[in-house]
Structure formats: structure tokens, C-alpha cells
Amino acid sequence: MAPTGEQHLLSTEILNRGVETSGPDAGSMAFSVRVRRRLPDFLQSVKLKYVKLGYHYLINHGIYLAAVPVVVLVFGAEVGRFIREELWQKLWDTTAAYDLLAVLTFVVVFIFTLSLYFFSSPRSIYLIDFACFKPDDDLKVTKEEFIELARKSGKFDEASLEFQKKILESSGIGDETYVPKAIMSTENISTMKEGREEASMMMFGALDELFEKTGIQPNDVGVLVVNCSVFNPTPSLSAMIINHYKMRGNILSFNLGGMGCSAGIIAVDLANDMLQANMNSVAVVVSTEMVAYNWYPGRDRSMLIPNCFFRMGCSALLLSNRRRDYRRAKYKLEHIVRTHKGANDASFRSVYQEEDDQRFKGLKIRKDLVEIGGDAIKTNITTLGPLVLPFSEQLLFFSTLIKRYLSGTTKDKGGVTNPRNSSPASSSKPYIPDYKLAFEHFCIHAASKTVVNELQRNLGLSDANMEASRATLHRFGNTSSSSIWYELAYLEAKGRVKRGDRVWQLTFGSGFKCNSAVWKSVRHVEKPSTNNPWLDCIDRYPSEALSQSSQVHPVNFN
């Protein structure tokens, strides 16, 4: 979602309380803001069609692989039969010609089947390395400085400043996040010039680091994918990169706009498709968002929330389908599962860019965003489950799901689960699979403290599993589609990624969309000594602030 837009599953409702009858504000309109602090228990109702969809993915990806053991077994049995009949003695008999022809025929079929599998199966896609942009320290602000700078800009009244202050206090964001200097200017900052300057600083900073780390020359890049939700100039951001680095003229370039915080995985999926179609190629994926260009200077409180959460950030990663890159790659792409709820009108308008009554542009967050986001996440992880969960977990999940289905558990019109009978089985909850058995590391989009806490509760994850998400939110804020790469950089800075480890990246954003990417480490990732955004502060995490962030307290802002 756009930096201003994914204000993430933090549902805000503005209530008109009428006219104040007393106090210093007597005679003026009074409003209260109610912030919903919990995601729904989205694993309490699972639709079988999404489980079925997950197995559809599995069958599509494994059909050729499943044929290989069958061919091997048949071939082994045939060879065994010939050995038992003393094949070598029969080669000189009158029937030897027939037996030899049968063997040669089977060998040809076996080789053909293997060739069909290797040429038809998807190419392995490797993540050679990635880089996360770290702004200069002069762009760093504390929460108090943020409010003071907003006050000095003259764009907000006291009520709006107080509202933003209360949001920041419960946001999970620390005092070292980065914002462009332009956002506190008294002038209009939503200009193309300001947007291009911020984009150049972040994209070129991340790409310079990526090219330095990998040794790849810009002219060697065959595919370029850039995603930025709200800021989409002409020429495009991808064209800016091609012009700056003087890339080759036949590069396949793509620019994704308006796709929200989940666009990072969408960009990886597009690069994956391009690499499947183009042999011996490398692809660069850049994920970012422009904070200044998306800044909202008005008074609509549902549009002010993005100002509080989004901060500067950009990631750049290098993907390759070349077999020789396996030795130096860090990760191999295992799965990508995408879920889009845009066909539903409520989902489509849950985060909506529009103008307020003062004609200020901003992202409107609807009050039902919590339920919409929970449904999209539930659908995505239900589809992903059959691809990644051990058989034991799938068996337990299905047994309790079928038991609950046969017991006749239904939902009334209000969405409350009611059994048709009073037996304990009818009200039992479905078994929640243990995703810790499928993954060693979790990079869940650092949208807000509320979202991180509620996903932890729903998925049954530990504080250690959510540490990277909480640390990223605290240190860098919500950096939109690039946040999952700051989280993976955190895990690498801690030296926790070992050979064979599986990493789950989960993102969600406007549309409404939820996407998952699964990576497998192909080697032990050493602690970085340079070119990592966490090097100057990694020893301070996990901190006491993260422990406090794991506690959820419902809040009403009046």
C-alpha cells in the first residue's frame, strides 16, 4: 500500500457527539475518534475452497516431479527382471535381439521423460543479494520532534496535532525514524520536483549499494521492476533508473503503481515470470514509496493516520536464473502465493485515495479495514498451507476442520458462531497449524503495532518469531513495500540465517491484497560487516521497547 495508505488495519471511526455545552469549547462541534485495536480471529472460520486452491498450486508445481519416481521404479523392475533371466547370456541367443530392443526402447523413454521434466519445470530463481537504503542522520526525528515540526509548519490545528501525538504514542514507532525535510515546510510539497528528488535519493542509494555488494554492472541487468504506489511521474521511475545508470536499450522494464504495501512481492513475482521466459538473465527489483509526496496537510483524522506511520525506506534486490549464480546466491525462491479481494466493493474501497472537504489529497481508511484485511490474510495463509506445512500438521488441520463441518457449526447473520446442537464438538475451534514447523524465520509486514500483535496471536507465533517485524517498525517505521527486506536484513545482522532455513515474507495492502513469498537459504549467511542498515544499532535489539510493544491495550481517542 502506499505509504500513506496502509495504515494498517488500524480502523478509525469518527463520531459526531453534537455541540459542546460547557467548557472552553462551548458552542462548537464535538467529535470523538474510536480506534479498533484488534484483528478478527480469522482462523476461526476456514473455507475449504482456499485449502483446495492450495493443493491445486501443489499439484501444478509437482506433476512432473511425481512422474519421475514412477519411471524409476518401472525401470528398476525391468532391469531386475533381465538380471534374473541372465540378460548377458541371452544377448547371444535368438531372442536377444528382442530383449535388447526392449531395453533400448525403455532407456529412450526414460531419458525423454527426464528431459521433459527438466525443460518443463520452472527454472530455479536465486536471490543473489539485496540492499536497504539508510537515510542520513540529519533526516532522523524523534516522536516529539515530529509533532513540533508539524506544529511549526502551520498546516495543522491543535486538535489534529493532539490526535497525531496520541497515535504516535501507541504506534510502536521509535525515536530514530526518517522523514524528508520538505514535509515540515510551510509550502506545498506534493510537487513532482520534490517527489523526484526523494525518489532519486532513495532508489539510487539502494541501487549503488546493491551493485557494490554483488559486483553486477548496471548494463548486465536484463529485467528491471520498480514498484511505488502513489508517486508515478512521467517518465516513470524505472526510466529514471535506466537513464541514471545508462542501462542497455533492450532491457525489460516495468513500473508498478497504485498497488500498496504488498507490491514488493508482486514485483518479485513479475520478475520471476520474466526470468522464467528469458534464460541466463538477472533482474533487479526496487521497492519504495515517497513520503513527502504522500503527505496529507488536512484535518480529516482518517487521512492523518498515514502521516504517523509511514517513513522513508527503499529496497533493491538482485535475482538470477543462471545456474552459475547458485554458489554465490543467498536464497532460492520456493513459493509465491497472491490473494486479491478487489472484486468485492468494500475491499476495493477500504483504502481509497481521494480529496477531503478542503480539497487536500490523501488516503482514506475505511472503518471496516480490520475485517477486510483479516479475511484477505486468512485466505492467503489457507492457500499457502498445503505448500509448506508438514503432513502431520495438515492431517491435524483437516481432521478438526472436517469434524467441525460435520458437527454443523454455522454462523448467524451477525457473524457469531452458533452450533446447530449443544454438543462440545459443534463449538470446537479448527486446529490452527503450527507455522513454526514450516518456517525458521518470519518477515511479516511491519504495518503497525496492532497488526503485528494480532497476527502473532492468530498464528500462534512467539515474540522471537515477531522480533524482526517489531524491531523494523520501531527503528525505521512503516516503510511500505520495502519493510520485509529491512526485516530480513535484521535477521542477517543477527547472524541467524543458516543453510536450509526457510523464510516467510507476508505482506498486505490496498486493493485489498495479501501476498506471501517463501525463500530457502542456500548457504549460511555470515554477519555483515558493511552495507547493512542495522550495523549501528543491532546490539540494542531486542530492547525493552519491543517487549512493551507486544502488549495490546484498547485505546479510545476523545
Side-chain angles (χ1 to χ4, degrees):
M1 196 174 292
T4 63
E6 209 132 315
Q7 294 23 324
H8 283 22
L9 304 182
L10 179 64
S11 180
T12 304
E13 185 175 359
I14 302 177
L15 305 176
N16 190 337
R17 298 194 316 218
V19 179
E20 291 283 3
T21 58
S22 61
D25 298 323
S28 62
M29 298 296 292
F31 298 88
S32 64
V33 178
R34 183 169 61 200
V35 181
R36 305 185 60 175
R37 305 296 294 178
R38 296 180 71 82
L39 287 173
D41 289 327
F42 50 81
L43 287 174
Q44 299 309 309
S45 60
V46 177
K47 295 182 180 180
L48 286 174
K49 67 177 181 179
Y50 298 127
V51 179
K52 183 178 175 182
L53 181 60
Y55 281 100
H56 177 70
Y57 273 99
L58 186 63
I59 292 172
N60 280 350
H61 287 81
I63 187 169
Y64 295 106
L65 185 61
V68 173
V70 176
V71 175
V72 172
L73 288 175
V74 174
F75 179 75
E78 190 71 11
V79 171
R81 182 176 68 83
F82 281 119
I83 291 176
R84 288 194 301 270
E85 295 177 0
E86 299 178 352
L87 172 63
W88 298 110
Q89 293 182 8
K90 297 185 63 170
L91 287 175
W92 305 102
D93 294 343
T94 57
T95 59
Y98 171 78
D99 291 335
L100 182 59
L101 179 62
V103 172
L104 292 176
T105 301
F106 189 83
V107 169
V108 170
V109 173
F110 180 69
I111 294 175
F112 175 78
T113 304
L114 287 179
S115 300
L116 182 65
Y117 165 71
F118 284 113
F119 284 104
S120 302
S121 60
R123 294 185 177 91
S124 296
I125 303 301
Y126 303 108
L127 172 59
I128 298 179
D129 213 331
F130 66 96
C132 297
F133 174 68
K134 182 182 176 184
D136 294 334
D137 286 345
D138 61 347
L139 300 177
K140 188 183 297 184
V141 297
T142 66
K143 292 190 287 290
E144 291 184 1
E145 289 172 344
F146 180 89
I147 296 300
E148 285 303 313
L149 290 172
R151 177 178 284 108
K152 292 178 180 179
S153 71
K155 297 175 182 177
F156 307 102
D157 58 16
E158 284 301 321
S160 298
L161 291 170
E162 186 64 23
F163 174 79
Q164 293 181 78
K165 181 179 180 181
K166 290 181 178 180
I167 291 290
L168 281 172
E169 289 174 352
S170 60
S171 65
I173 294 176
D175 289 327
E176 294 184 284
T177 58
Y178 303 91
V179 296
K181 291 182 177 180
I183 66 173
M184 301 310 174
S185 170
T186 57
E187 301 177 357
N188 176 29
I189 59 172
S190 297
T191 64
M192 283 299 194
K193 180 182 178 180
E194 293 290 349
R196 284 193 175 97
E197 288 179 355
E198 184 180 350
S200 299
M201 174 177 59
M202 293 199 296
M203 294 193 308
F204 300 157
L207 286 168
D208 286 346
E209 181 179 323
L210 179 69
F211 292 138
E212 179 184 349
K213 293 171 72 172
T214 60
I216 292 289
Q217 298 300 315
N219 205 44
D220 296 330
V221 177
V223 179
L224 173 65
V225 184
V226 181
N227 71 269
C228 182
S229 190
V230 176
F231 182 61
N232 291 288
T234 300
S236 65
L237 296 177
S238 59
M240 288 175 57
I241 293 174
I242 293 172
N243 175 263
H244 180 79
Y245 290 101
K246 309 304 178 187
M247 293 180 168
R248 66 195 198 198
N250 64 343
I251 189 172
L252 301 176
S253 66
F254 304 88
N255 199 93
L256 304 181
M259 304 197 77
C261 295
S262 63
I265 290 181
I266 297 174
V268 171
D269 193 25
L270 177 57
N272 173 45
D273 289 341
M274 292 299 101
L275 290 176
Q276 294 296 337
N278 297 272
M279 297 182 62
N280 296 319
S281 298
V282 294
V284 167
V285 177
V286 179
S287 298
T288 188
E289 196 59 68
M290 302 305 113
V291 175
Y293 192 78
N294 298 319
W295 198 252
Y296 172 68
R299 300 181 180 181
D300 188 320
R301 294 189 174 184
S302 65
M303 293 182 171
L304 282 170
I305 295 176
N307 289 3
C308 302
F309 283 96
F310 282 97
R311 297 293 185 267
M312 298 176 68
C314 179
S315 64
L317 47 148
L318 184 67
L319 302 174
S320 173
N321 61 10
R322 301 183 303 192
R323 297 186 185 277
R324 66 177 182 271
D325 287 330
Y326 171 79
R327 293 182 177 275
R328 68 190 191 112
K330 285 185 174 181
Y331 306 93
K332 177 184 176 182
L333 181 61
E334 295 284 306
H335 305 288
I336 288 182
V337 175
R338 293 169 55 181
T339 300
H340 204 307
K341 294 289 186 176
N344 178 273
D345 290 342
S347 296
F348 176 72
R349 298 185 66 91
S350 60
V351 178
Y352 203 77
Q353 188 178 19
E354 59 185 2
E355 291 84 17
D356 63 7
D357 294 338
Q358 298 176 282
R359 307 296 295 173
F360 288 126
K361 179 183 63 179
L363 284 169
K364 185 87 169 183
I365 303 173
R366 308 295 172 176
K367 63 182 180 180
D368 56 352
L369 181 60
V370 172
E371 290 78 9
I372 289 169
D375 181 62
I377 296 171
K378 176 187 70 177
T379 300
N380 187 265
I381 65 176
T382 304
T383 305
L384 178 68
L387 299 175
V388 297
L389 288 170
F391 178 75
S392 59
E393 287 297 297
Q394 297 188 45
L395 185 62
L396 288 171
F397 173 75
F398 267 114
S399 62
T400 54
L401 183 64
I402 294 174
K403 180 180 179 181
R404 189 167 181 262
Y405 177 78
L406 294 176
S407 68
T409 303
T410 60
K411 283 191 175 183
D412 63 18
K413 293 182 180 180
V416 180
T417 301
N418 289 316
R420 296 189 193 132
N421 54 66
S422 58
S423 64
S426 64
S427 60
S428 61
K429 299 179 179 179
Y431 177 75
I432 300 176
D434 187 357
Y435 283 89
K436 296 188 294 294
L437 298 177
F439 307 107
E440 284 73 34
H441 307 291
F442 298 80
C443 296
I444 296 176
H445 174 44
S448 70
K449 182 178 73 174
T450 300
V451 176
V452 172
N453 290 345
E454 288 303 308
L455 283 173
Q456 176 182 354
R457 181 179 64 85
N458 274 277
L459 295 175
L461 303 178
S462 66
D463 287 344
N465 298 141
M466 306 302 293
E467 183 182 318
S469 296
R470 287 199 178 97
T472 297
L473 180 64
H474 185 269
R475 176 63 180 84
F476 293 97
N478 183 341
T479 61
S480 189
S481 56
S482 65
S483 68
I484 53 176
W485 298 104
Y486 285 86
E487 294 167 23
L488 187 54
Y490 176 87
L491 295 172
E492 291 187 357
K494 285 289 187 180
R496 295 177 181 172
V497 182
K498 312 299 181 184
R499 179 183 176 89
D501 283 0
R502 295 153 297 180
V503 181
W504 180 19
Q505 293 180 322
L506 176 66
T507 64
F508 32 87
S510 59
F512 195 89
K513 302 179 291 295
C514 179
N515 303 313
S516 289
V518 178
W519 303 87
K520 185 175 182 179
S521 174
V522 297
R523 60 180 172 87
H524 175 72
V525 179
E526 300 289 343
K527 284 186 178 182
S529 57
T530 59
N531 294 331
N532 186 291
W534 294 92
L535 290 182
D536 65 337
C537 62
I538 190 63
D539 294 336
R540 304 203 305 264
Y541 290 92
S543 62
E544 183 179 350
L546 299 190
S547 301
Q548 295 173 353
S549 293
S550 64
Q551 303 173 6
V552 180
H553 304 288
V555 177
N556 286 330
F557 298 118
N558 296 321

